[in-house]
Amino acid sequence: MVPLLTFLIGLDIDRGTARREAIQELLKSEYAKESLVDRVTRSVDQFIGDLLDRESVGVVGSVAARAALVAIVIAIIVAVIVIARRTARGGTARQEGIFGERRRTASEHREAAERLAAEGRWAEAIRERLRAVARDLEDRVIVDSTPGRTAGELAAEAGRALPDLASDLTTAARVFDDVTYGELPGTADDYAMLRDLDERLRTARPTLEKAGPS
């Protein structure tokens, strides 16, 4: 790694001029609507082209050194693209909370969950089953109806009202997050756990909070 860094530092490049040229290029109107990833990719492509055209590379560098430089830059581009996609995808999913845009009843969520489970689409079935749990708890006023609530927040609030099921609620929330945000596939066992919890919650009764002084 040290010899490669020495090689890069030793290149005779007017970095200030190159940076100013790159900034002026990106300020042009045709780049105004480009995404951050596109801008970075374009800048790096231009940098590589300018770098390999320099006469100094022929003196200081070699074919192997230039190939190593290109490989490093490509790795950086790939990392930027992967991070940008994950951030965009994760941000969109989290803004929706537990429920999607359409409001459904607990029964509708259960029916959708069973249909998806029959097709072996475990991640989607798990999401629908937890939505059935959340809607049922809201309809029975065990938890407040809170737009944008996360699975963890649901488990925490429901667990306070139903302490005997608090641990199972936390596990269910973790499974929901794993298949929704962690991109895990979900399993038949995970879905069976959610279905069993849903059935037990339907007959559970909240613990009365400690009354104030009479």
Side-chain angles (χ1 to χ4, degrees):
M1 188 67 180
V2 175
L4 180 57
L5 289 175
T6 302
F7 159 72
L8 293 175
I9 294 173
L11 293 178
D12 185 16
I13 300 173
D14 186 349
R15 297 180 181 177
T17 300
R19 183 168 58 252
R20 286 193 296 273
E21 291 177 356
I23 292 173
Q24 291 300 319
E25 182 71 13
L26 291 175
L27 288 176
K28 293 181 179 179
S29 60
E30 56 264 34
Y31 300 137
K33 297 183 178 180
E34 285 189 332
S35 66
L36 175 61
V37 173
D38 291 338
R39 292 189 182 189
V40 171
T41 303
R42 183 184 295 276
S43 298
V44 172
D45 287 342
Q46 182 177 353
F47 171 75
I48 293 175
D50 293 343
L51 182 62
L52 297 182
D53 286 342
R54 302 272 182 171
E55 293 182 358
S56 58
V57 172
V59 177
V60 180
S62 63
V63 174
R66 282 179 285 176
L69 175 62
V70 172
I72 291 173
V73 175
I74 290 174
I76 293 173
I77 293 174
V78 171
V80 169
I81 292 174
V82 169
I83 292 172
R85 286 180 177 175
R86 286 182 178 177
T87 300
R89 183 169 58 245
T92 301
R94 288 183 183 280
Q95 289 174 359
E96 295 177 355
I98 295 175
F99 301 107
E101 294 181 357
R102 177 189 168 192
R103 181 177 178 85
R104 295 182 177 180
T105 65
S107 295
E108 288 175 329
H109 283 300
R110 289 189 185 102
E111 291 172 3
E114 288 294 286
R115 184 176 63 254
L116 291 164
E119 297 172 3
R121 297 161 63 180
W122 301 116
E124 295 168 88
I126 287 167
R127 284 194 285 269
E128 286 300 317
R129 201 74 194 201
L130 189 74
R131 288 165 182 159
V133 167
R135 187 66 73 203
D136 186 69
L137 291 172
E138 289 180 353
D139 291 344
R140 294 162 59 200
V141 200
I142 293 176
V143 300
D144 294 332
S145 180
T146 305
R149 189 206 323 266
T150 67
E153 291 168 345
L154 171 73
E157 184 176 351
R160 288 191 291 270
L162 303 166
D164 291 342
L165 295 173
S167 177
D168 293 331
L169 283 161
T170 299
T171 300
R174 190 196 70 243
V175 171
F176 178 89
D177 287 344
D178 285 345
V179 302
T180 304
Y181 310 123
E183 299 181 353
L184 297 182
T187 66
D189 288 342
D190 288 336
Y191 179 72
M193 181 272 295
L194 260 294
R195 182 171 53 192
D196 176 67
L197 176 62
D198 184 19
E199 294 301 320
R200 286 186 289 143
L201 283 168
R202 294 174 73 178
T203 58
R205 294 293 179 266
T207 300
L208 295 177
E209 294 185 2
K210 192 176 295 184
S214 56

